Amino acid sequence: MMKLKKVFFTLPLILLSMNSQSLFSQNTKSVVIEYQEKRAVNEEKIKNLPERIQQVVRAKSKWRKSVLIHNEEGSYYMLQDKIEDKTVTVSDTQKRTVKVGQKVFFNDFLTNNSYQELRMYNENVLIKDKLNKYKWELLSETKKINDIVCKKATTTNEHGRTVVAWYTDKFGITNGPQGYYGLPGLIVYLDDGKYTFKMDKVSFSDKKLDLLKPSKNANVVTPEEYMNNYVNGKSSKSQRGNTTTTRRRVQN
């Protein structure tokens, strides 16, 4: 994956005031939203895992910086942890640097598709889904978070967990961390029962930032295929060649 620090320091970003909705529509080409995220850890469930694995899981329970890069065509979201880079060859002429163990979430506003890219068993896997996959219930309750008046919404995610989100229309964009999308505003705070996300800062640029794109050589699967081929016991067979997974190029 590309190094995100280059995004922040090579293009001018302007932090605008809270009444920025009209400014975004007239002057802004890109938006950078800085978040923090952390994962809930059940010590009882991990106590029998190898110590190295326990350390990795506990590291995710601390707040970690993440970033959402947004423009009119789409967006991507990823962590900014300073963890080991690994360069992998994705074709005869192209190499790609990925963060080990890191997921990247893409939204394509032109095709209404979302993608989640991750490394599984030494291959890039791209989970393709609908952009507006969540059925949000918009509630009347409001709360001030970091001096921003936010509205409450709830939904149920693909794992059956209740998701509580707080969002604002102050910034004139619709988006959120990871794959959470579809609210009439920007998500400021979200808890999905496993991960918690909170927004730190919103920056605007009058230049169009280049978006990181999904790998064209990834194995594109549906959420159902991902669960069957990589999560529910079939991945080990796939590694030995006993289970065939369909390999497709990224298609809109």
Side-chain angles (χ1 to χ4, degrees):
M1 299 299 176
M2 67 182 289
K3 293 183 180 298
L4 291 178
K5 287 186 177 179
K6 293 182 180 178
V7 173
F8 289 110
F9 296 116
T10 59
L11 289 175
L13 297 175
I14 307 170
L15 187 62
L16 301 179
S17 61
M18 292 302 179
N19 58 347
S20 55
Q21 186 165 355
S22 61
L23 290 173
F24 173 78
S25 62
Q26 294 175 8
N27 302 323
T28 303
K29 302 296 183 182
S30 302
V31 187
V32 177
I33 304 100
E34 296 177 52
Y35 283 97
Q36 292 191 59
E37 70 168 67
K38 69 176 180 179
R39 177 178 175 174
V41 174
N42 188 322
E43 289 290 339
E44 187 65 24
K45 288 186 177 181
I46 70 171
K47 67 179 182 181
N48 294 323
L49 295 176
E51 182 61 29
R52 180 178 63 85
I53 303 299
Q54 291 187 39
Q55 291 177 1
V56 171
V57 174
R58 291 193 184 99
K60 294 181 179 180
S61 69
K62 300 178 182 179
W63 287 111
R64 299 184 295 170
K65 293 182 179 181
S66 57
V67 65
L68 174 67
I69 310 294
H70 171 108
N71 67 29
E72 62 182 4
E73 296 179 356
S75 65
Y76 68 90
Y77 173 89
M78 65 188 298
L79 287 166
Q80 292 194 86
D81 286 38
K82 292 183 179 179
I83 57 179
E84 179 186 1
D85 288 351
K86 182 178 181 180
T87 300
V88 295
T89 301
V90 296
S91 71
D92 292 338
T93 59
Q94 180 185 6
K95 289 188 176 182
R96 201 156 186 255
T97 301
V98 300
K99 297 289 188 180
V100 177
Q102 183 167 329
K103 302 175 183 178
V104 186
F105 298 82
F106 304 89
N107 290 332
D108 189 332
F109 303 150
L110 303 180
T111 64
N112 289 318
N113 290 323
S114 67
Y115 301 92
Q116 177 184 342
E117 184 172 352
L118 64 159
R119 291 282 294 172
M120 291 289 290
Y121 303 100
N122 296 319
E123 69 173 322
N124 278 15
V125 179
L126 197 63
I127 307 170
K128 180 180 178 180
D129 207 345
K130 297 178 181 178
L131 185 59
N132 289 290
K133 60 185 176 182
Y134 296 113
K135 297 181 180 179
W136 293 97
E137 180 182 3
L138 306 182
L139 306 175
S140 59
E141 185 177 350
T142 62
K143 180 167 63 173
K144 185 173 284 190
I145 302 175
N146 294 337
D147 294 325
I148 303 172
V149 176
C150 301
K151 300 176 183 179
K152 185 178 182 180
T154 61
T155 190
T156 301
N157 66 15
E158 59 270 32
H159 305 292
R161 297 192 299 268
T162 298
V163 180
V164 178
W166 296 90
Y167 68 97
T168 179
D169 59 4
K170 284 277 187 184
F171 302 105
I173 64 173
T174 296
N175 219 323
Q178 278 200 8
Y180 289 108
Y181 183 85
L183 286 169
L186 178 65
I187 293 175
V188 176
Y189 188 94
L190 185 143
D191 188 338
D192 68 5
K194 186 175 182 179
Y195 284 92
T196 302
F197 308 87
K198 62 181 181 180
M199 187 186 78
D200 280 343
K201 187 172 71 172
V202 180
S203 304
F204 293 79
S205 175
D206 59 1
K207 299 197 177 195
K208 187 175 180 180
L209 300 177
D210 291 332
L211 294 178
L212 185 66
K213 300 293 185 181
S215 171
K216 293 182 178 180
N217 298 86
N219 183 23
V220 184
V221 297
T222 66
E224 293 76 17
E225 289 171 335
Y226 170 72
M227 292 299 296
N228 289 334
N229 295 329
Y230 293 93
V231 178
N232 293 332
K234 295 184 180 180
S235 56
S236 59
K237 294 181 182 179
S238 177
Q239 288 303 104
R240 298 193 299 268
N242 295 330
T243 297
T244 301
T245 58
T246 303
R247 292 186 177 276
R248 296 169 290 187
R249 291 180 65 84
V250 178
Q251 297 178 348
N252 293 330

